[in-house]
Amino acid sequence: MKEQLLKIFQDHQGEYISGEKISQELGCSRTAVWKHIEELRKNGYQLDSAPRKGYRMVMRANGIHTHEIKQYLTTKFLGRELTYFDATESTQQIAHKLAQDGAEEGHVVVANEQTKGKGRLGRVWHSRSNTSISMSMILRPPLPPQKTPQLTLLAAVAVVQAIKKNTGLQCEIKWPNDILLKGKKLVGILTEMQADPDLVHSVIIGIGLNVNQTSEDFGEDIAHLATSLHLEKDGASGEPVDRARLIADILLEFEELYEEYLENGFQSIRPLWESYSISVGTYIYARMIKDVIYGYAKGITDDGVLLVEDESGKTHHIYSADIEI
Ligand code: BTN
């Protein structure tokens, strides 16, 4: 019901809509309309009411509750089942549990705040309330386990394209899964799977995105390393970025790429990934747990492995590393 009510206000932006009209469209009583309006106000929406005119939405709440995401969602299956938390330790952890309990492909977990977010290589990922996006998608691709790193690359392309569509900002991908804006980290992607040696049960793709943080939110220690969309768009002077719309667009972009990938393989996605990448066609340091390789990043294989040619002309296959450009 909340979803439908938000849709009505969205279709009549800036206009008053009478209680009578809303009750007809929702098929409920005027008292029920009033109750739903009060709920929206409690959720942070600013709604004017005027005698004989009705209600008008003055300011959106920029929340990411299920109904707020669903009002924008145009996917076929991705995010149609959504689990939302005001706060949870990690959406990744919840998604693993749901997948083990039989959740279907496309189920997405979203949180307004994570208190113990997981980053790559055992690092901590900070996701503050109200400003970030933390979400984990459950997939069940018919793929062998060695192919699943490609899904990280698909996710990176989806996020870059959705950000461009929503903000006009062009981000860059640093292999394998960092998304940077003006050299600072904006998005982290963590892909994990539950699999037997030759069969994938589920793949969980976690996406953490800095959306509306201000410079104070980052603190001195990471301000030179991390940024947010709001900070980079109009120098933080404009409206905050609508997180619900951005989530819906990431899901749509990913679903389209995923369907294309399952039908035609990675070859059709690869040129897109390469066009956004800053880590191919340049000299890089690939820092691994025990080794550092310096060389020319020639490209990625169809399995998403980075190819680096060192000074002796030897090509190294890099499966996991931190890249320094
Ligand atoms: C990285 O280290 O760059 C990856 C960070 C991934 C963070 C996301 S936020 C949503 C999901 N839940 C988690 O606990 N981690 C991922």
Side-chain angles (χ1 to χ4, degrees), residues 1-192:
M1 197 65 100
K2 261 194 211 163
E3 217 174 291
Q4 284 165 277
L5 186 52
L6 281 175
K7 176 99 181 51
I8 294 176
F9 283 117
Q10 194 183 317
D11 292 344
H12 297 84
Q13 276 177 28
E15 292 168 31
Y16 278 99
I17 319 158
S18 69
E20 181 65 40
K21 185 154 188 241
I22 298 174
S23 77
Q24 273 167 10
E25 288 204 23
L26 294 182
C28 65
S29 69
R30 296 280 298 272
T31 319
V33 170
W34 179 81
K35 278 189 186 150
H36 290 308
I37 297 271
E38 282 311 299
E39 282 234 351
L40 285 184
R41 285 184 171 137
K42 275 190 206 133
N43 286 340
Y45 288 88
Q46 203 182 323
L47 291 147
D48 265 0
S49 46
R52 287 185 299 279
K53 283 180 163 177
Y55 303 96
R56 181 176 68 150
M57 184 171 285
V58 182
M59 209 181 75
R60 310 188 60 78
N62 205 356
I64 50 171
H65 288 84
T66 307
H67 61 272
E68 289 163 310
I69 297 170
K70 286 211 169 162
Q71 66 179 318
Y72 298 121
L73 200 63
T74 52
T75 54
K76 287 184 242 164
F77 69 92
L78 193 56
R80 288 284 148 201
E81 197 65 57
L82 264 174
T83 303
Y84 168 82
F85 292 88
D86 277 327
T88 186
E89 286 194 352
S90 154
T91 55
Q92 205 73 355
Q93 198 182 310
I94 304 276
H96 275 293
K97 174 87 179 54
L98 286 169
Q100 266 159 12
D101 294 348
E104 285 192 13
E105 163 149 283
H107 194 132
V108 175
V109 182
V110 175
N112 191 40
E113 181 184 2
Q114 287 187 131
T115 52
K116 217 172 166 184
K118 261 167 83 176
R120 275 177 69 225
L121 310 169
R123 294 180 188 135
V124 175
W125 180 263
H126 299 279
S127 326
R128 288 175 65 113
S129 61
N130 302 323
T131 54
S132 52
I133 289 176
S134 308
M135 62 192 239
S136 298
M137 311 186 281
I138 301 173
L139 301 173
R140 298 194 183 275
L143 292 174
Q146 68 271 20
K147 293 264 183 214
T148 56
Q150 294 176 339
L151 296 174
T152 305
L153 308 181
L154 257 69
V157 171
V159 173
V160 168
Q161 295 187 161
I163 288 175
K164 175 84 181 174
K165 188 169 149 198
N166 277 260
T167 65
L169 293 167
Q170 184 63 62
C171 303
E172 293 163 329
I173 304 174
K174 192 172 81 159
W175 183 90
N177 54 4
D178 282 349
I179 296 180
L180 310 181
L181 193 49
K182 300 190 186 146
K184 294 182 178 179
K185 184 146 169 171
L186 184 78
V187 184
I189 302 174
L190 178 67
T191 302
E192 298 174 310

Side-chain angles (χ1 to χ4, degrees), residues 137 139 141 143 147-162 173 176-177 179 189 191 205 207 250 253-263 265-270 272-273 276 300 302 304:
M137 311 186 281
L139 301 173
L143 292 174
K147 293 264 183 214
T148 56
Q150 294 176 339
L151 296 174
T152 305
L153 308 181
L154 257 69
V157 171
V159 173
V160 168
Q161 295 187 161
I173 304 174
N177 54 4
I179 296 180
I189 302 174
T191 302
I205 303 186
I207 300 174
I250 292 172
E253 292 285 340
F254 186 84
E255 183 179 277
E256 286 175 358
L257 291 166
Y258 184 62
E259 287 190 328
E260 167 73 27
Y261 167 77
L262 290 182
E263 205 169 313
F266 188 63
Q267 75 221 17
S268 51
I269 313 292
R270 188 173 156 161
L272 279 175
W273 187 90
Y276 303 132
I300 51 168
D302 274 348

Side-chain angles (χ1 to χ4, degrees), residues 188-225:
I189 302 174
L190 178 67
T191 302
E192 298 174 310
M193 66 175 161
Q194 300 173 354
D196 286 335
D198 53 0
L199 180 72
V200 171
H201 298 299
S202 64
V203 175
I204 313 292
I205 303 186
I207 300 174
L209 210 159
N210 299 330
V211 187
N212 287 321
Q213 285 94 332
T214 59
S215 23
E216 292 84 64
D217 288 331
F218 286 120
E220 268 176 31
D221 49 335
I222 53 167
H224 61 294
L225 298 173

